[in-house]
Amino acid sequence: MLSKIEGMADPDRAIAARIHAIVTSSAPGLSPKLWYGQPAYARKGKVVCFFRSGHDDKERYSTFGFTPEAGLDDGGLWPTSFAVTALNDDATNTVAALVEKAAG
């Protein structure tokens, strides 16, 4: 998976590397893997969260998302994915908190 991140075009490479650092430090129990050719993190083989390169998808932004395995259910509305163009401190804290909850 790290070679996939290294092969990404900037700014996706920097964002994916930062997300990798956030996920591995916030949820060390999640295992990095490729999922549909993109970086993802799994618990017991099932993907919990993932990064999709906007450049690879020919979109104007990248995405960080969660699968139903994350269990982020919170009433009738909860996050399943976020558009990502940069990771400021607030965004970093949000990703870390959601990943910690998802890793449960």
Side-chain angles (χ1 to χ4, degrees):
M1 186 193 67
L2 293 177
S3 63
K4 172 63 179 180
I5 291 172
E6 285 299 315
M8 290 180 179
D10 273 329
D12 287 351
R13 178 179 36 241
I15 294 169
R18 181 70 183 123
I19 285 178
H20 179 72
I22 294 166
V23 173
T24 56
S25 66
S26 299
L30 296 181
S31 303
K33 66 183 283 177
L34 287 178
W35 190 53
Y36 296 106
Q38 297 289 328
Y41 304 86
R43 177 180 50 241
K44 297 180 183 174
K46 295 186 178 184
V47 171
V48 173
C49 56
F50 57 90
F51 176 81
R52 294 210 42 94
S53 165
H55 183 268
D56 288 359
D57 288 345
K58 297 175 179 55
E59 297 288 343
R60 65 182 182 94
Y61 55 83
S62 295
T63 306
F64 182 71
F66 297 90
T67 68
E69 193 67 30
L72 294 177
D73 309 41
D74 185 16
L77 178 72
W78 60 88
T80 60
S81 66
F82 296 89
V84 183
T85 58
L87 287 170
N88 63 20
D89 289 343
D90 287 340
T92 296
N93 292 338
T94 298
V95 169
L98 289 168
V99 167
E100 286 175 12
K101 182 176 179 181

